[in-house]
Amino acid sequence: MATEAAHGHDQQWLVHHQYEDYEQQSESYIVGMWAFLVTEIMFFGALFLAYVLYRWQYQPEFYLIHKDLDWVMGGINTTVLLFSSLAVALAVRCAMLQDRKGVLGWLTVTQLCAAGFLVIKYFEWSHKYHKGVWLGEGFKWGEGVTKYAQDVSANTAQLFYSLYYCMTGLHGFHVVIGIIVIGILMRMWFKNNPLVTKDYVPTELVGLYWHFVDLVWIFLYPLFYLMPR
Amino acid sequence: MSAVDIRTEEAPRHAPQPSYLQNGHTIKSWLLTGDHKRIAILYLISTGFFFFLGSIAAGAIRWQLTSPRGELMTLEVYNKMFSAHGVIMVFMFLVPTIPAVLGNFLVPIMIGARDLAFPRLNLASWYMYMVGGVLILVAMAMGGVDTGWTFYTPYSSIYSSSQVSLTLVGAFIVGFSSIFTGLNFIVTIHKMRAPGMTWDRLPLYIWSHYATSIIIILATPVVAITLLCVVLERAFRIGIFSPELGGDPVLFQHLFWFYSHPAVYIMVLPGMGIISELMSAFSRKPVFGYKFIAGSSLAIAAIGFLVWGHHMFVSSQSMYQGLVFSLLSFVVAVPSAIKVFNWTATMWKGSVRLQTPMIYALCFMGLFVVGGLTGLYLSTLATDVHLTATYFVVAHFHYVMVGGTILAYLGGLHFWWPKMTGRMYPDSWGKLSAIIIFVGFNLTFFPQFILGFLGMPRRYATYALAPQFQFYHILSTAGATVLGIGFLIPLFYLSWSLKHGPKAGKNPWGAKGLEWTVDSPPITTNFYETPIVDRPVYDYDPEEEERQFQIELDAEREMREKLAATRGGQD
Ligand code: HEM
Ligand SMILES: [Cu+2]
């Protein structure tokens, strides 16, 4: 869908009919992505607000409950995600240089990290599930829970875990979406689709999204796993 | 405004292309279109459908209240009826309608673009709207909700056994359709303006859509996640709003109004944009205080985020919080007032033409002023304690939402109808409908101020203990009947005009603005070539216009006299 009026720009054929030229299109994409990330911030924001309120209200209890979370697992996950962000950044750089092999390589690393993150999350969650620390009528609190945490009432524990599951769950959902989107992007690179090989912007957009997902976790990790007394 | 003088329809320099209506006739060419104008038409039909459903619910409510014991429904059905009315009207009509119909159609044309930045996202927005709408309707078919459109916890999360979850999922999805529209407008307005279309040449309509879009993308995600948390609470007993687990049900109200107060500006700001256009076009005068009106839109968007607590004066928030929210609510009325004063000043010494869209705009002014000023009664702590949750609030928000948003929408629809369809409707019928709506509206809702002041609570199905209220309720129901008729009349003559209306031509009103330089109806890409803007916005000369107008009037009078003379001769 190129416009008739080619300005002699070699990327003009990439331009959709509503845009004048390649610059306008690229800038629109990038502004659009940033606006989307703003909506994402507000989306998570409401949950962060709820977190702040209840942490404020129940700080001593939350402190005891949080000892039941495995900060090592969480820490590994943080490292894994940070590394995946680096990989995506390098993939974007390769895309700018039109280095197809580089892009595919770094995106593969990203995907492995993302999958690793989800596997670790799966172990964490299923461990909790087996202990009965799971949302719903059957929420069990006591047996199998870390020593200090046992002293807290089951209701407050369930409130803590409501926040925990909602926020890490919503984040996990974003990781899954990221895996799908990066998968599609890799496929396009693999097939040598000129929409991505001749234009780095789509890769950059996916990169922006992935950095955002990463950033959310950077906040979630200390808030849940590393509470001060 | 553009390089081409829009008054003289010069010979086209390009081979004519088919209009957007003619460019493809299959159903598929509509349902898979990326054309912002076709998507606008899809939205026009679907929002119109939901408006019709919502109105039927309103009719049922008014019928019920004609007698103190309730005429029509059981208490439970009544609860579901007003909830259905609120949910449909707010989420399915008032929030989307102006941006998605008139905004979609006009934003690209007014800034000289061929389409919105993301046509497929635009289409996705319509599909989200439809999916959400269908879910809400399915929920209603399965029994409906009885929580009101506000879904307050813990009633909605713990106690109500109606179809809350499904309705909320529907509203959640509709929220995304709104976000998509807002996102598209922001990018389009930033990046797609034609050469020369600088920020200070943007029509005020664009400014208000810009402000609206900012509110949409900042506020809608918050209510989306909030509604989702209620669904999760019903499904998995998560405790964020659950007092049983130490959660705070009032937090729901905070989050809900953090969206829903700004949402009232999502509803009314685009309407204000329409009024700015109408006032200028039908006074043939540049808008008075362009910068102030543009700035006030942004001010409303900003301050509108800081006043949500005025819905919660009696909900256990602290006195000091109430004080601050009260003060800020007074502040947010200032930019609205600036607009009203500037519109009034725009008419001053203009060459005013009382055609249908202008009549609607004038009706808007009257009703919006009443709605806005009564907002101040409600923002005053002491009076609100008396008036909250009474019919006074109901009357207030109907004055701003029906008198404001819907009248502006109708005014805009009548203004741009010739552009959208290429046909004119009969002006006298248009004026008649506007006046019937104005009268019917006041008859419906003015008595509700009195009712509320006297203490009639909102959302009650009966008032058997206060039969003296019946008089006002009957007035209100009678008014609603008139109002309903007023809304039906445009449906008829506008449909009639589609086939039989006279051809409109590019610029039937003699208005300025890029949209009046393109064909009616426009071609798919709007412009044959990208326009270059080299004039200020609202480039009218009221004195010259008035001279022309007088000449036309004289000519018309002469004609009439001659006609009368010849008739007289025949007798
Ligand atoms: C001029 C500035 C305005 C002020 C100061 C204002 C103030 C208020 C206040 C204080 C309330 C709460 C009353 C109560 O529940 O006790 C209220 C309710 C309401 N207002 Fe306004 N308002 C203004 C403009 C608007 C506009 C422009 C709209 C919509 C287009 C609007 C729509 C509503 C709605 C829908 C409610 C009731 C919500 C509910 O409880 O269901 N208001 N207003
Ligand atoms: Cu409000």
Side-chain angles (χ1 to χ4, degrees):
Chain A
M1 275 205 282
T3 41
E4 310 139 48
H7 299 303
H9 202 295
D10 62 339
Q11 275 152 325
Q12 190 64 30
W13 66 272
L14 282 168
V15 177
H16 285 286
H17 81 103
Q18 70 270 29
Y19 299 108
E20 284 300 311
D21 52 29
Y22 177 75
E23 275 70 34
Q24 190 185 35
Q25 169 168 311
S26 305
E27 286 172 11
S28 300
Y29 285 177
I30 289 176
V31 173
M33 191 65 198
W34 279 105
F36 170 71
L37 293 182
V38 168
T39 69
E40 287 278 36
I41 289 173
M42 297 308 288
F43 200 66
F44 278 97
L47 290 175
F48 276 100
L49 176 74
Y51 173 92
V52 169
L53 284 175
Y54 294 135
R55 168 92 179 267
W56 180 288
Q57 204 169 348
Y58 300 110
Q59 159 68 20
E61 288 92 337
F62 273 25
Y63 171 73
L64 294 176
I65 299 164
H66 105 281
K67 298 207 159 197
D68 193 43
L69 294 175
D70 190 340
W71 68 271
V72 178
M73 291 266 228
I76 295 174
N77 255 350
T78 310
T79 321
V80 166
L81 272 195
L82 277 175
F83 192 68
S84 78
S85 243
L86 174 68
V88 149
L90 290 170
V92 173
R93 189 184 138 76
C94 290
M96 287 172 172
L97 301 173
Q98 305 205 341
D99 168 7
R100 175 164 165 270
K101 278 215 181 102
V103 173
L104 281 171
W106 286 118
L107 287 182
T108 311
V109 174
T110 312
Q111 291 285 51
L112 288 176
C113 290
F117 176 88
L118 286 181
V119 169
I120 294 176
K121 263 269 81 88
Y122 170 78
F123 281 122
E124 279 191 86
W125 280 35
S126 66
H127 181 60
K128 300 242 164 336
Y129 180 78
H130 291 303
K131 283 197 300 192
V133 181
W134 194 250
L135 298 177
E137 292 295 337
F139 184 84
K140 279 212 291 287
W141 190 248
E143 262 167 74
V145 174
T146 329
K147 194 165 90 209
Y148 306 100
Q150 285 178 357
D151 301 340
V152 178
S153 86
N155 280 351
T156 313
Q158 196 170 348
L159 183 60
F160 176 90
Y161 275 104
S162 297
L163 289 166
Y164 174 77
Y165 285 123
C166 276
M167 294 173 80
T168 60
L170 189 65
H171 175 259
F173 175 74
H174 279 77
V175 173
V176 173
I177 298 285
I179 289 181
I180 295 172
V181 174
I182 296 175
I184 296 172
L185 183 70
M186 285 175 73
R187 198 181 129 89
M188 290 171 86
W189 275 98
F190 188 74
K191 299 224 151 166
N192 248 323
N193 188 332
L195 284 182
V196 294
T197 55
K198 296 274 183 273
D199 180 6
Y200 80 96
V201 172
T203 313
E204 161 120 352
L205 297 180
V206 174
L208 278 175
Y209 173 79
W210 191 256
H211 290 313
F212 170 79
V213 173
D214 194 17
L215 194 67
V216 173
W217 181 259
I218 299 296
F219 281 92
L220 290 179
Y221 176 59
L223 286 182
F224 281 107
Y225 291 78
L226 305 177
M227 274 187 205
R229 191 180 267 277
Chain B
M1 181 165 176
S2 84
V4 192
D5 185 1
I6 52 185
R7 286 305 184 76
T8 54
E9 303 212 350
E10 45 170 306
R13 274 175 289 168
H14 304 266
Q17 291 173 22
S19 79
Y20 79 100
L21 293 170
Q22 299 298 324
N23 193 1
H25 294 277
T26 55
I27 301 229
K28 197 175 139 201
S29 75
W30 280 89
L31 292 184
L32 294 181
T33 182
D35 183 347
H36 64 104
K37 299 179 288 303
R38 286 197 163 197
I39 295 171
I41 300 293
L42 293 177
Y43 261 121
L44 174 70
I45 296 166
S46 32
T47 53
F49 169 74
F50 280 103
F51 179 60
F52 185 71
L53 287 187
S55 306
I56 290 178
I61 294 169
R62 286 310 330 156
W63 188 357
Q64 166 88 355
L65 294 174
T66 47
S67 109
R69 298 194 171 281
E71 275 293 319
L72 192 58
M73 299 168 260
T74 62
L75 306 184
E76 197 194 336
V77 173
Y78 182 82
N79 289 349
K80 291 181 172 171
M81 199 56 83
F82 74 68
S83 305
H85 170 67
V87 170
I88 290 181
M89 285 303 199
V90 172
F91 295 114
M92 303 307 294
F93 182 70
L94 287 161
V95 168
T97 191
I98 298 184
V101 179
L102 295 175
N104 245 337
F105 198 97
L106 290 158
V107 166
I109 306 185
M110 280 187 170
I111 63 173
R114 284 187 283 271
D115 205 320
L116 288 172
F118 308 122
R120 276 180 289 188
L121 189 70
N122 198 13
L123 184 64
S125 145
W126 183 71
Y127 277 101
M128 293 295 246
Y129 171 84
M130 290 309 280
V131 170
V134 167
L135 285 184
I136 289 176
L137 290 185
V138 169
M140 278 165 196
M142 288 167 62
V145 272
D146 59 356
T147 59
W149 77 281
T150 47
F151 303 106
Y152 274 13
T153 53
Y155 183 68
S156 63
S157 53
I158 300 181
Y159 301 107
S160 174
S161 56
S162 59
Q163 296 294 334
V164 179
S165 297
L166 198 54
T167 309
L168 288 179
V169 171
F172 178 83
I173 295 176
V174 174
F176 280 92
S177 93
S178 175
I179 291 175
F180 290 174
T181 304
L183 215 135
N184 229 332
F185 285 176
I186 288 186
V187 177
T188 306
I189 294 170
H190 265 283
K191 288 291 163 197
M192 311 275 288
R193 283 169 287 131
M197 181 55 88
T198 51
W199 285 93
D200 59 356
R201 284 180 184 163
L202 280 184
L204 290 166
Y205 183 80
I206 301 293
W207 273 105
S208 62
H209 272 79
Y210 184 69
T212 308
S213 305
I214 290 178
I215 303 177
I216 288 179
I217 72 164
L218 290 179
T220 317
V222 174
V223 83
I225 192 72
T226 307
L227 300 184
L228 197 65
C229 282
V230 175
V231 176
L232 291 177
E233 183 160 340
R234 288 177 73 87
F236 301 112
R237 255 185 118 236
I238 72 159
I240 293 178
F241 306 126
S242 159
E244 282 176 329
L245 301 182
D248 186 356
V250 179
L251 177 61
F252 173 87
Q253 294 186 27
H254 280 290
L255 292 171
F256 182 83
W257 290 115
F258 180 81
Y259 164 77
S260 291
H261 182 82
V264 309
Y265 292 110
I266 297 177
M267 301 178 217
V268 85
L269 267 173
M272 292 168 153
I274 293 175
I275 299 302
S276 298
E277 298 298 314
L278 297 184
M279 282 300 163
S280 162
F282 290 93
S283 307
R284 297 292 194 277
K285 223 185 114 199
V287 163
F288 181 85
Y290 172 90
K291 288 203 170 139
F292 279 87
I293 297 193
S296 67
S297 292
L298 297 182
I300 285 177
I303 307 170
F305 273 105
L306 306 176
V307 302
W308 76 88
H310 67 209
H311 296 271
M312 301 171 59
F313 286 147
V314 296
S315 73
S316 84
Q317 81 186 356
S318 89
M319 195 176 81
Y320 301 103
Q321 235 174 322
L323 213 62
V324 172
F325 278 127
S326 170
L327 183 72
L328 287 168
S329 304
F330 278 92
V331 174
V332 79
V334 172
S336 299
I338 289 178
K339 283 179 194 279
V340 172
F341 286 129
N342 282 3
W343 291 325
T344 314
T346 302
M347 288 184 283
W348 171 250
K349 290 198 172 170
S351 168
V352 177
R353 320 284 159 100
L354 292 177
Q355 283 156 308
T356 306
M358 187 60 166
I359 304 286
Y360 272 110
L362 293 173
C363 293
F364 168 100
M365 293 264 283
L367 300 181
F368 182 74
V369 165
V370 175
L373 288 178
T374 51
L376 298 179
Y377 293 50
L378 296 171
S379 314
T380 311
L381 284 170
T383 45
D384 184 66
V385 173
H386 176 63
L387 295 173
T388 190
T390 68
Y391 264 78
F392 194 92
V393 177
V394 176
H396 156 69
F397 67 71
H398 281 88
Y399 264 82
V400 270
M401 304 210 299
V402 181
T405 308
I406 298 187
L407 283 203
Y409 176 56
L410 286 173
L413 200 62
H414 282 85
F415 186 45
W416 286 295
W417 186 259
K419 185 53 62 186
M420 299 169 80
T421 66
R423 304 279 185 161
M424 293 300 287
Y425 50 85
D427 195 47
S428 46
W429 279 98
K431 286 183 195 164
L432 183 71
S433 74
I435 288 165
I436 292 179
I437 289 175
F438 184 78
V439 172
F441 177 86
N442 280 302
L443 191 56
T444 313
F445 291 104
F446 201 83
Q448 296 189 4
F449 280 126
I450 303 169
L451 270 176
F453 185 75
L454 295 177
M456 171 79 201
R458 68 191 282 202
R459 295 182 171 171
Y460 275 34
T462 61
Y463 45 100
L465 295 180
Q468 69 274 25
F469 291 161
Q470 188 175 19
F471 171 68
Y472 299 105
H473 274 301
I474 285 181
L475 273 189
S476 184
T477 304
T481 315
V482 177
L483 186 59
I485 293 170
F487 282 139
L488 281 176
I489 297 175
L491 185 68
F492 288 115
Y493 65 77
L494 288 180
S495 320
W496 174 89
S497 78
L498 286 179
K499 267 222 150 60
H500 309 287
K503 286 246 171 16
K506 281 188 178 178
N507 190 1
W509 312 112
K512 310 267 172 164
L514 282 183
E515 78 269 31
W516 302 111
T517 66
V518 302
D519 292 349
S520 304
I523 59 171
T524 301
T525 54
N526 302 337
F527 301 92
Y528 285 96
E529 58 189 52
T530 307
I532 295 172
V533 184
D534 60 356
R535 293 188 198 185
V537 64
Y538 307 123
D539 189 18
Y540 293 101
D541 178 354
E543 282 171 27
E544 176 56 29
E545 293 274 1
E546 186 64 20
R547 249 192 309 281
Q548 287 291 337
F549 191 42
Q550 288 306 335
I551 293 171
E552 279 166 33
L553 279 186
D554 288 347
E556 208 181 300
R557 187 170 337 110
E558 237 168 71
M559 276 281 277
R560 230 181 286 130
E561 274 163 13
K562 252 191 219 149
L563 223 82
T566 46
R567 271 216 206 97
Q570 280 165 354
D571 281 347

Short mmCIF file of all heavy atoms in Angstrom, two decimals, chain A residues 110-139:
data_model
loop_
_atom_site.label_atom_id
_atom_site.label_comp_id
_atom_site.label_asym_id
_atom_site.label_seq_id
_atom_site.Cartn_x
_atom_site.Cartn_y
_atom_site.Cartn_z
N THR A 110 16.24 -13.98 24.44
CA THR A 110 15.12 -13.36 25.17
C THR A 110 14.03 -14.39 25.46
O THR A 110 13.51 -14.47 26.58
CB THR A 110 14.52 -12.22 24.32
OG1 THR A 110 15.57 -11.40 23.85
CG2 THR A 110 13.56 -11.41 25.15
N GLN A 111 13.70 -15.14 24.44
CA GLN A 111 12.63 -16.12 24.62
C GLN A 111 12.99 -17.15 25.68
O GLN A 111 12.16 -17.52 26.51
CB GLN A 111 12.33 -16.84 23.29
CG GLN A 111 11.69 -15.98 22.23
CD GLN A 111 10.23 -15.70 22.49
OE1 GLN A 111 9.87 -15.27 23.57
NE2 GLN A 111 9.37 -15.96 21.52
N LEU A 112 14.25 -17.58 25.66
CA LEU A 112 14.67 -18.57 26.66
C LEU A 112 14.54 -17.98 28.06
O LEU A 112 14.04 -18.63 28.98
CB LEU A 112 16.11 -19.01 26.39
CG LEU A 112 16.26 -19.90 25.15
CD1 LEU A 112 17.73 -20.22 24.89
CD2 LEU A 112 15.45 -21.19 25.31
N CYS A 113 14.96 -16.72 28.21
CA CYS A 113 14.85 -16.08 29.51
C CYS A 113 13.39 -16.00 29.94
O CYS A 113 13.03 -16.29 31.09
CB CYS A 113 15.44 -14.68 29.47
SG CYS A 113 17.21 -14.66 29.31
N ALA A 114 12.54 -15.57 29.00
CA ALA A 114 11.13 -15.42 29.34
C ALA A 114 10.55 -16.75 29.77
O ALA A 114 9.82 -16.85 30.77
CB ALA A 114 10.36 -14.86 28.14
N ALA A 115 10.90 -17.79 29.03
CA ALA A 115 10.37 -19.11 29.38
C ALA A 115 10.91 -19.53 30.73
O ALA A 115 10.17 -20.04 31.59
CB ALA A 115 10.76 -20.11 28.30
N GLY A 116 12.21 -19.28 30.95
CA GLY A 116 12.80 -19.63 32.24
C GLY A 116 12.08 -18.92 33.37
O GLY A 116 11.75 -19.51 34.41
N PHE A 117 11.76 -17.66 33.16
CA PHE A 117 11.03 -16.89 34.17
C PHE A 117 9.71 -17.58 34.51
O PHE A 117 9.37 -17.78 35.68
CB PHE A 117 10.77 -15.48 33.64
CG PHE A 117 9.95 -14.63 34.56
CD1 PHE A 117 10.54 -13.89 35.56
CD2 PHE A 117 8.56 -14.57 34.44
CE1 PHE A 117 9.79 -13.10 36.42
CE2 PHE A 117 7.80 -13.80 35.29
CZ PHE A 117 8.41 -13.07 36.27
N LEU A 118 9.00 -17.98 33.46
CA LEU A 118 7.69 -18.59 33.71
C LEU A 118 7.83 -19.94 34.40
O LEU A 118 7.01 -20.30 35.26
CB LEU A 118 6.93 -18.75 32.39
CG LEU A 118 6.38 -17.44 31.81
CD1 LEU A 118 5.63 -17.72 30.53
CD2 LEU A 118 5.50 -16.72 32.80
N VAL A 119 8.88 -20.68 34.06
CA VAL A 119 9.06 -21.98 34.71
C VAL A 119 9.29 -21.80 36.20
O VAL A 119 8.65 -22.46 37.04
CB VAL A 119 10.25 -22.73 34.06
CG1 VAL A 119 10.62 -23.96 34.89
CG2 VAL A 119 9.89 -23.15 32.64
N ILE A 120 10.16 -20.86 36.52
CA ILE A 120 10.41 -20.61 37.95
C ILE A 120 9.14 -20.16 38.66
O ILE A 120 8.80 -20.62 39.75
CB ILE A 120 11.54 -19.58 38.12
CG1 ILE A 120 12.85 -20.18 37.60
CG2 ILE A 120 11.68 -19.16 39.56
CD1 ILE A 120 14.02 -19.24 37.62
N LYS A 121 8.40 -19.25 37.99
CA LYS A 121 7.12 -18.80 38.55
C LYS A 121 6.19 -20.00 38.78
O LYS A 121 5.51 -20.11 39.80
CB LYS A 121 6.41 -17.86 37.59
CG LYS A 121 6.55 -16.43 37.77
CD LYS A 121 5.65 -15.59 38.59
CE LYS A 121 5.83 -15.55 40.05
NZ LYS A 121 6.71 -14.63 40.61
N TYR A 122 6.19 -20.88 37.80
CA TYR A 122 5.34 -22.05 37.92
C TYR A 122 5.69 -22.84 39.17
O TYR A 122 4.81 -23.23 39.95
CB TYR A 122 5.45 -22.93 36.67
CG TYR A 122 4.78 -24.27 36.84
CD1 TYR A 122 3.38 -24.39 36.74
CD2 TYR A 122 5.52 -25.42 37.13
CE1 TYR A 122 2.76 -25.61 36.92
CE2 TYR A 122 4.91 -26.64 37.31
CZ TYR A 122 3.53 -26.74 37.21
OH TYR A 122 2.91 -27.94 37.40
N PHE A 123 7.00 -23.05 39.41
CA PHE A 123 7.39 -23.81 40.60
C PHE A 123 6.96 -23.08 41.86
O PHE A 123 6.44 -23.69 42.80
CB PHE A 123 8.90 -24.05 40.60
CG PHE A 123 9.28 -25.19 39.69
CD1 PHE A 123 10.18 -25.01 38.65
CD2 PHE A 123 8.72 -26.45 39.89
CE1 PHE A 123 10.52 -26.06 37.82
CE2 PHE A 123 9.05 -27.51 39.06
CZ PHE A 123 9.94 -27.30 38.01
N GLU A 124 7.17 -21.77 41.88
CA GLU A 124 6.76 -21.01 43.06
C GLU A 124 5.28 -21.16 43.33
O GLU A 124 4.85 -21.45 44.45
CB GLU A 124 7.06 -19.52 42.85
CG GLU A 124 8.49 -19.11 43.10
CD GLU A 124 8.59 -17.59 43.12
OE1 GLU A 124 8.36 -17.00 44.19
OE2 GLU A 124 8.86 -17.01 42.07
N TRP A 125 4.50 -20.92 42.29
CA TRP A 125 3.05 -20.95 42.47
C TRP A 125 2.55 -22.34 42.84
O TRP A 125 1.70 -22.50 43.70
CB TRP A 125 2.34 -20.46 41.19
CG TRP A 125 2.30 -18.97 41.04
CD1 TRP A 125 3.26 -18.10 41.44
CD2 TRP A 125 1.25 -18.18 40.47
NE1 TRP A 125 2.89 -16.82 41.14
CE2 TRP A 125 1.66 -16.83 40.54
CE3 TRP A 125 0.03 -18.48 39.88
CZ2 TRP A 125 0.88 -15.79 40.06
CZ3 TRP A 125 -0.75 -17.44 39.40
CH2 TRP A 125 -0.33 -16.11 39.49
N SER A 126 3.09 -23.36 42.16
CA SER A 126 2.55 -24.70 42.43
C SER A 126 2.94 -25.15 43.84
O SER A 126 2.17 -25.83 44.52
CB SER A 126 3.03 -25.71 41.38
OG SER A 126 4.42 -25.88 41.49
N HIS A 127 4.11 -24.72 44.29
CA HIS A 127 4.50 -25.01 45.66
C HIS A 127 3.47 -24.44 46.63
O HIS A 127 2.98 -25.11 47.55
CB HIS A 127 5.88 -24.39 45.92
CG HIS A 127 6.40 -24.64 47.29
ND1 HIS A 127 6.62 -25.91 47.80
CD2 HIS A 127 6.75 -23.77 48.27
CE1 HIS A 127 7.07 -25.81 49.03
NE2 HIS A 127 7.15 -24.53 49.35
N LYS A 128 3.10 -23.20 46.38
CA LYS A 128 2.10 -22.56 47.22
C LYS A 128 0.77 -23.30 47.13
O LYS A 128 0.08 -23.53 48.12
CB LYS A 128 1.88 -21.11 46.78
CG LYS A 128 3.11 -20.25 46.84
CD LYS A 128 2.90 -19.14 47.82
CE LYS A 128 4.17 -18.47 48.25
NZ LYS A 128 5.42 -19.21 48.16
N TYR A 129 0.43 -23.65 45.91
CA TYR A 129 -0.85 -24.32 45.69
C TYR A 129 -0.93 -25.59 46.53
O TYR A 129 -1.93 -25.87 47.18
CB TYR A 129 -1.01 -24.64 44.20
CG TYR A 129 -2.30 -25.35 43.88
CD1 TYR A 129 -3.50 -24.63 43.80
CD2 TYR A 129 -2.33 -26.73 43.65
CE1 TYR A 129 -4.68 -25.27 43.51
CE2 TYR A 129 -3.51 -27.37 43.36
CZ TYR A 129 -4.69 -26.64 43.29
OH TYR A 129 -5.86 -27.27 43.01
N HIS A 130 0.16 -26.35 46.53
CA HIS A 130 0.14 -27.60 47.28
C HIS A 130 0.04 -27.38 48.77
O HIS A 130 -0.50 -28.21 49.50
CB HIS A 130 1.35 -28.46 46.91
CG HIS A 130 1.26 -28.98 45.51
ND1 HIS A 130 0.18 -29.74 45.08
CD2 HIS A 130 2.06 -28.82 44.44
CE1 HIS A 130 0.34 -30.02 43.80
NE2 HIS A 130 1.47 -29.48 43.39
N LYS A 131 0.57 -26.26 49.22
CA LYS A 131 0.44 -25.95 50.65
C LYS A 131 -0.96 -25.46 51.00
O LYS A 131 -1.28 -25.28 52.17
CB LYS A 131 1.45 -24.86 51.05
CG LYS A 131 2.85 -25.38 51.18
CD LYS A 131 3.73 -24.40 51.95
CE LYS A 131 3.83 -23.05 51.28
NZ LYS A 131 4.89 -22.21 51.87
N GLY A 132 -1.77 -25.19 49.98
CA GLY A 132 -3.11 -24.66 50.24
C GLY A 132 -3.15 -23.15 50.26
O GLY A 132 -4.19 -22.55 50.53
N VAL A 133 -1.99 -22.53 50.02
CA VAL A 133 -1.98 -21.07 49.98
C VAL A 133 -2.44 -20.63 48.60
O VAL A 133 -1.63 -20.31 47.72
CB VAL A 133 -0.57 -20.53 50.28
CG1 VAL A 133 -0.56 -19.01 50.27
CG2 VAL A 133 -0.11 -21.04 51.63
N TRP A 134 -3.72 -20.63 48.39
CA TRP A 134 -4.27 -20.41 47.07
C TRP A 134 -5.58 -19.68 47.24
O TRP A 134 -6.25 -19.84 48.26
CB TRP A 134 -4.50 -21.77 46.40
CG TRP A 134 -4.74 -21.66 44.93
CD1 TRP A 134 -5.91 -21.90 44.28
CD2 TRP A 134 -3.79 -21.31 43.93
NE1 TRP A 134 -5.75 -21.71 42.96
CE2 TRP A 134 -4.45 -21.33 42.70
CE3 TRP A 134 -2.43 -20.95 43.96
CZ2 TRP A 134 -3.84 -21.02 41.50
CZ3 TRP A 134 -1.82 -20.64 42.77
CH2 TRP A 134 -2.51 -20.69 41.55
N LEU A 135 -5.93 -18.87 46.27
CA LEU A 135 -7.12 -18.05 46.44
C LEU A 135 -8.38 -18.90 46.41
O LEU A 135 -8.41 -19.97 45.81
CB LEU A 135 -7.18 -17.00 45.34
CG LEU A 135 -6.00 -16.05 45.40
CD1 LEU A 135 -6.07 -15.07 44.25
CD2 LEU A 135 -5.99 -15.32 46.72
N GLY A 136 -9.40 -18.40 47.07
CA GLY A 136 -10.67 -19.11 47.03
C GLY A 136 -11.07 -19.58 48.42
O GLY A 136 -10.40 -19.30 49.42
N GLU A 137 -12.18 -20.30 48.47
CA GLU A 137 -12.75 -20.73 49.74
C GLU A 137 -11.75 -21.51 50.58
O GLU A 137 -11.69 -21.41 51.79
CB GLU A 137 -13.99 -21.60 49.50
CG GLU A 137 -15.18 -20.84 48.92
CD GLU A 137 -15.71 -19.80 49.87
OE1 GLU A 137 -15.48 -19.94 51.09
OE2 GLU A 137 -16.34 -18.82 49.41
N GLY A 138 -10.94 -22.36 49.90
CA GLY A 138 -10.12 -23.31 50.66
C GLY A 138 -8.78 -22.76 51.11
O GLY A 138 -7.88 -23.53 51.42
N PHE A 139 -8.65 -21.44 51.16
CA PHE A 139 -7.35 -20.86 51.52
C PHE A 139 -6.90 -21.39 52.88
O PHE A 139 -7.57 -21.23 53.89
CB PHE A 139 -7.47 -19.34 51.55
CG PHE A 139 -6.16 -18.64 51.82
CD1 PHE A 139 -5.28 -18.37 50.79
CD2 PHE A 139 -5.83 -18.24 53.10
CE1 PHE A 139 -4.08 -17.71 51.03
CE2 PHE A 139 -4.63 -17.58 53.35
CZ PHE A 139 -3.76 -17.32 52.31
#
